[in-house]
């Protein structure tokens, strides 16, 4: 297992918005999800990692073992990108894009690129703007894979795809990860879907890294207890935060192995639940 | 198997890209407008024969051409594997080639006009060099600026020419929009929260914009109202040469301003911020 991305950003400010104490890694063969609410700083972070925003002096981003600041060229050789808003000229065809921009990469392989286009059933000579959203994503993926990227950065790639196409896209990603040569950092609002597929999760809130760990570990750290509200006072000392409805109540507790009352239903929270409690200030930095 | 080549063949790249642009853009609606402009420029030379050496439409055509062929590439410039030095070299080559591309378009029309109307190519070129070229020259600065900086500063917001797609197709980033909505409430106090460095940068930006506007005015006027100029210059020829010199000087200063800003930006480090002087969302 090798680290394909190592990010350390103590502080970075942009237009009155700040990223604070960001530190995480992406390993080859694993999918790391970058989650957060709107305005949490996901796009800013991805822009910084991909070199679209200048990094502050104190920050360090290593891609494939190369520093983005000192060896930008080598670092970018290792990075592939798939953005919701494609950076390529939409008037060009996928074939022409490959011919035009591919050769800038040292390891560019045109044969491989054409093979990927065929495999993903992307019309080679049709203008990119005429491709469907899903095809555009796959085209970017084909481009990234054809220059031997070991790290893929994806910003909301599945946001506007229909469920069938989304599944297909995720399947392709799983295949890429199987080889254990490439690691993926994927930001998305589709929390529930990513929860099932991501090996690691990085949660951002107000520009701050709330937690970064394996998805299983994060979810195992907490428990949701549900039941009648009258029973809650007995657990008051353990409940970190609660969500009340007219008849039932739900509370978040730390899963530290202590028994829970049998008359309360006890379930593992989802990432969406955790996001709710982060927003409420119940889950704070350092708790996971 | 076609393996990647080292980045160094910028000229070839740009020629290839230029040919691609010619092929795709001239065969689209821009091509149609270009034919109209070219046609009118040729008709204009017929008019010019009667009016001695006045070409009314050439300057206006320059504006149109500039608007029709915005520079492309945008974000990709920062995503492709370029080192800082290579990126600067690429920008330089791209801009010069872009200017060459525009000039060649003009010359092509000039040659056609020469053959069609018998208008003196010398006079046509004279008009071009005196009135139109300073403006086009300044525009090459806009090209590198929009390719290198504006995309970085405006990302992920959309701007004028700054995307790989046309500005008319741009959709604002929804996340950024929401963030902007949220920041709206604190915008009033944002100025007070700016660090000294940020305030200095804002002042610098304002100074830059003012200088650039001043530098653009003379070549733009020279280009747009060249017809009126020519009429005026028949009576006082020295005014034309004086304004031409001024236009070239302004364009050169404008280019220098662009270049210094680009150099600054290329060597710029990100802002770290101090203490709690930030507005987090």
């Amino acid at each position: 297992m090798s680290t394909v991305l190592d990010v350390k950003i103590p502080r970075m400010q942009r237009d009155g918005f700040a990223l604070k104490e960001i530190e995480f890694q992406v390993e080859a063969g694993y999918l790391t999800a970058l989650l957060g609410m709107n305005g949490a700083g996901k796009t800013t972070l991805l822009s910084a990692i991909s070199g679209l925003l200048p990094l502050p002096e104190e920050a360090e981003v290593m891609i494939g073992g190369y520093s983005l600041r000192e060896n930008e060229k080598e670092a970018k050789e290792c990075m592939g990108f798939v953005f919701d808003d494609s950076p390529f000229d939409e008037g060009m065809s996928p074939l022409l894009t490959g011919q035009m921009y591919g050769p800038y990469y040292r390891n560019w392989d045109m044969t491989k690129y054409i093979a990927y286009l065929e495999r993903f059933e992307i019309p080679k000579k049709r203008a990119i703007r005429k491709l469907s959203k899903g095809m555009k994503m796959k085209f970017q993926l084909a481009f990234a894979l054809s220059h031997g990227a070991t790290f893929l950065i994806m910003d909301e790639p599945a946001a506007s795809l229909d469920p069938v196409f989304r599944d297909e896209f995720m399947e392709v990603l799983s295949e890429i990860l199987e080889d254990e040569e490439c690691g993926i950092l994927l930001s998305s609002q589709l929390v529930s879907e990513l929860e099932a597929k991501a090996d690691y999760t990085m949660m951002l809130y107000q520009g701050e890294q709330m937690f970064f760990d394996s998805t299983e570990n994060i979810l195992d750290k907490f428990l949701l207890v549900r039941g009648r509200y009258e029973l809650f006072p007995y657990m008051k000392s353990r409940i970190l935060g609660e969500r009340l409805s007219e008849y039932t109540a739900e509370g978040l507790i730390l899963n530290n192995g202590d028994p829970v009352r049998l008359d309360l239903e006890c379930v593992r929270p989802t990432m969406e639940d955790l996001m709710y409690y982060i927003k409420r200030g119940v889950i704070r930095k350092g708790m996971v | 198997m076609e393996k990647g080549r080292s980045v160094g063949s910028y000229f070839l790249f740009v020629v290839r890209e230029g040919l691609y642009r010619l092929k795709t853009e001239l065969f689209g609606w821009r091509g149609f407008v270009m034919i109209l402009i070219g046609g009118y420029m040729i008709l204009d030379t017929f008019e010019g024969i009667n009016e001695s050496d006045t070409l009314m439409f050439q300057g206006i055509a320059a504006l149109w051409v500039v608007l029709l062929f915005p520079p492309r590439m945008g974000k990709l410039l920062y995503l492709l594997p370029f080192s800082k030095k290579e990126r600067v070299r690429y920008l330089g080559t791209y801009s010069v080639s872009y200017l060459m591309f525009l000039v060649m378009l003009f010359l092509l029309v000039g040659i056609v006009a020469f053959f069609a109307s018998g208008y003196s190519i010398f006079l046509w070129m004279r008009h071009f060099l005196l009135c139109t070229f300073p403006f086009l020259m300044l525009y090459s600065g806009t090209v590198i600026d929009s390719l290198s900086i504006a995309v970085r500063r405006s990302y992920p917001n959309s701007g004028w020419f700054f995307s790989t797609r046309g500005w008319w197709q741009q959709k604002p980033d929804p996340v950024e929009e929401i963030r902007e909505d949220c920041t709206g409430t604190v915008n009033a106090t944002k100025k007070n929260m700016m660090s000294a460095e940020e305030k200095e940068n804002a002042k610098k930006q304002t100074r830059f914009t003012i200088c650039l506007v001043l530098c653009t005015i003379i070549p733009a006027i020279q280009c747009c109202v060249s017809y009126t100029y020519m009429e005026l210059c028949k009576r006082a020829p020295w005014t034309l040469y004086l304004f031409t010199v001024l236009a070239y000087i302004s364009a050169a200063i404008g280019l220098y301003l662009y270049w210094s800003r680009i150099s600054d930006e290329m060597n710029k480090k990100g802002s770290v911020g101090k203490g709690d002087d930030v507005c987090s969302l």
Side-chain angles (χ1 to χ4, degrees):
Chain A
M1 190 166 77
S2 62
T3 305
V4 291
L5 175 75
D6 192 352
V7 180
K8 284 190 190 86
I9 303 178
R11 192 174 190 88
M12 179 177 163
Q13 198 175 334
R14 181 190 168 242
D15 298 340
F17 178 78
L19 287 175
K20 286 166 274 178
E21 295 169 40
I22 308 287
E23 191 170 343
F24 70 99
Q25 295 78 34
V26 174
E27 307 291 342
Y30 292 95
L31 174 65
T32 302
L34 176 59
L35 302 179
M37 281 157 259
N38 286 339
K42 298 190 294 292
T43 306
T44 307
L45 179 60
L46 292 183
S47 303
I49 293 171
S50 55
L52 287 164
L53 291 175
L55 284 172
E57 199 83 46
E58 289 80 351
E60 187 60 275
V61 173
M62 305 282 284
I63 302 172
Y66 296 103
S67 162
L68 185 63
R69 197 200 316 277
E70 276 138 36
N71 303 92
E72 188 181 354
K73 190 177 161 75
E74 285 76 12
K76 297 264 173 83
E77 289 271 1
C78 301
M79 185 185 79
F81 46 85
V82 179
F83 293 146
D84 181 37
D85 180 15
S86 166
F88 291 104
D89 184 341
E90 301 232 319
M92 287 187 188
S93 66
L95 187 66
L96 190 62
T97 305
Q99 287 168 342
M100 196 92 84
Y101 298 115
Y104 282 114
Y105 290 91
R106 204 176 291 144
N107 297 319
W108 176 253
D109 188 336
M110 194 66 192
T111 318
K112 204 171 169 184
Y113 178 62
I114 290 172
Y116 272 120
L117 291 181
E118 278 166 5
R119 195 189 139 192
F120 295 154
E121 295 173 358
I122 300 164
K124 289 194 277 277
K125 292 183 178 171
R126 192 184 292 173
I128 295 169
R129 80 163 71 90
K130 288 180 185 162
L131 300 178
S132 69
K133 198 87 185 166
M135 278 181 177
K136 279 183 196 172
M137 294 299 150
K138 284 182 178 176
F139 145 69
Q140 289 186 67
L141 195 58
F143 187 88
L145 296 174
S146 305
H147 65 77
T150 53
F151 163 60
L152 292 182
I153 189 163
M154 300 186 173
D155 190 9
E156 306 277 357
S160 40
L161 302 185
D162 63 62
V164 179
F165 230 114
R166 212 151 58 209
D167 275 353
E168 215 177 300
F169 187 76
M170 294 309 278
E171 258 172 49
V172 175
L173 295 190
S174 306
E175 279 175 40
I176 295 165
L177 293 171
E178 267 170 27
D179 298 339
E180 297 197 357
E181 283 175 2
C182 187
I184 299 174
L185 175 66
L186 192 152
S187 106
S188 179
Q189 300 281 358
L190 304 166
V191 181
S192 51
E193 276 187 38
L194 265 186
E195 181 185 317
K197 288 174 179 140
D199 304 293
Y200 290 88
T201 298
M202 211 285 246
M203 180 73 79
L204 272 178
Y205 179 62
Q206 294 187 340
E208 206 168 357
Q209 180 178 319
M210 293 307 287
F211 47 71
F212 168 66
D213 203 344
S214 77
T215 311
E216 289 299 305
N217 279 355
I218 293 167
L219 296 176
D220 283 345
K221 195 85 185 172
F222 299 96
L223 277 177
L224 279 180
V225 286
R226 288 178 187 141
R228 283 180 292 119
Y229 185 67
E230 305 86 79
L231 299 170
F232 266 54
Y234 298 105
M235 296 207 46
K236 201 171 182 180
S237 59
R238 288 185 65 190
I239 288 178
L240 303 168
E242 53 197 15
R243 189 155 40 176
L244 306 175
S245 67
E246 204 173 336
Y247 302 107
T248 58
E250 177 195 275
L252 182 81
I253 61 171
L254 278 175
N255 183 11
N256 47 14
D258 290 348
V260 179
R261 283 181 65 106
L262 288 173
D263 40 10
L264 286 171
E265 186 196 359
C266 199
V267 292
R268 195 164 91 145
T270 62
M271 275 296 168
E272 280 179 11
D273 293 324
L274 295 189
M275 279 172 91
Y276 170 80
Y277 286 107
I278 286 172
K279 178 90 173 64
R280 293 264 312 268
V282 172
I283 300 175
R284 291 178 306 277
K285 197 180 161 143
M287 281 180 80
V288 178
Chain B
M1 185 191 292
E2 193 183 322
K3 281 279 177 189
R5 62 166 191 257
S6 64
V7 183
S9 45
Y10 293 100
F11 183 71
L12 284 178
F13 174 92
V14 175
V15 167
R16 198 176 185 184
E17 178 135 2
L19 287 174
Y20 160 75
R21 297 272 164 239
L22 266 179
K23 194 185 106 203
T24 54
E25 302 200 5
L26 288 180
F27 280 89
W29 64 269
R30 291 182 195 89
F32 178 70
V33 180
M34 195 58 219
I35 289 168
L36 286 182
I37 292 171
Y40 197 82
M41 278 168 81
I42 292 165
L43 288 178
D44 196 31
T45 55
F46 281 100
E47 185 76 8
I49 291 173
N50 303 328
E51 301 280 326
S52 166
D53 61 348
T54 52
L55 292 172
M56 187 180 78
F57 199 65
Q58 201 187 75
I60 297 163
L63 279 176
W64 265 103
V65 170
V66 158
L67 291 173
L68 279 174
F69 298 99
R72 310 272 174 133
M73 204 166 191
K75 281 182 231 169
L76 208 52
L77 185 69
Y78 289 95
L79 293 171
L80 289 175
F82 289 143
S83 66
K84 210 177 273 181
K85 211 176 187 178
E86 284 170 340
R87 193 173 295 129
V88 172
R89 270 166 53 199
Y90 174 84
L91 285 170
T93 320
Y94 196 105
S95 311
V96 172
S97 313
Y98 201 85
L99 183 64
M100 294 286 286
F101 169 64
L102 293 182
V103 169
M104 277 167 71
L105 267 179
F106 267 80
L107 291 183
L108 193 72
V109 174
I111 290 165
V112 174
F114 167 67
F115 283 113
S117 69
Y119 186 81
S120 163
I121 191 82
F122 170 75
L123 286 177
W124 199 92
M125 281 301 292
R126 177 176 169 264
H127 187 100
F128 179 76
L129 288 173
L130 292 182
C131 301
T132 316
F133 191 65
F135 177 73
L136 286 181
M137 197 171 110
L138 189 64
Y139 186 66
S140 66
T142 318
V143 174
I144 32 176
D145 188 65
S146 56
L147 281 175
S148 63
I149 296 176
V151 68
R152 206 168 204 186
R153 290 199 173 159
S154 62
Y155 178 85
N157 285 337
S158 50
W160 240 91
F161 316 117
F162 311 136
S163 162
T164 50
R165 294 174 299 170
W167 59 272
W168 53 88
Q169 291 172 322
Q170 277 288 351
K171 287 180 221 122
D173 185 316
V175 175
E176 200 69 7
E177 267 192 336
I178 290 164
R179 183 180 293 159
E180 271 161 16
D181 282 350
C182 299
T183 44
T185 51
V186 290
N187 268 350
T189 53
K190 199 175 163 186
K191 208 169 180 181
N192 300 329
M193 294 162 79
M194 283 164 91
S195 64
E197 193 191 348
E198 280 178 316
K199 279 180 185 166
E200 185 53 40
N201 281 341
K203 272 185 196 167
K204 212 170 160 185
Q205 180 63 32
T206 315
R207 278 200 298 268
F208 173 83
T209 312
I210 293 169
C211 289
L212 198 66
V213 168
L214 290 175
C215 287
T216 314
I217 284 172
I218 297 174
I221 291 176
Q222 176 91 339
C223 181
C224 297
V225 295
S226 52
Y227 174 73
T228 327
Y229 260 148
M230 288 294 188
E231 284 293 304
L232 173 76
C233 294
K234 277 179 199 165
R235 275 167 265 154
W238 59 270
T239 49
L240 172 69
Y241 297 114
L242 177 70
F243 270 89
T244 300
V245 170
L246 280 176
Y248 271 102
I249 291 172
S250 304
I253 295 171
L255 279 178
Y256 170 75
L257 284 172
Y258 272 131
W259 189 251
S260 57
R261 188 162 87 139
I262 287 157
S263 308
D264 277 359
E265 185 70 25
M266 290 285 176
N267 297 315
K268 192 179 168 186
K269 303 279 184 296
S271 171
V272 184
K274 293 178 189 85
D276 291 325
D277 60 348
V278 289
C279 154
S280 303
L281 293 170

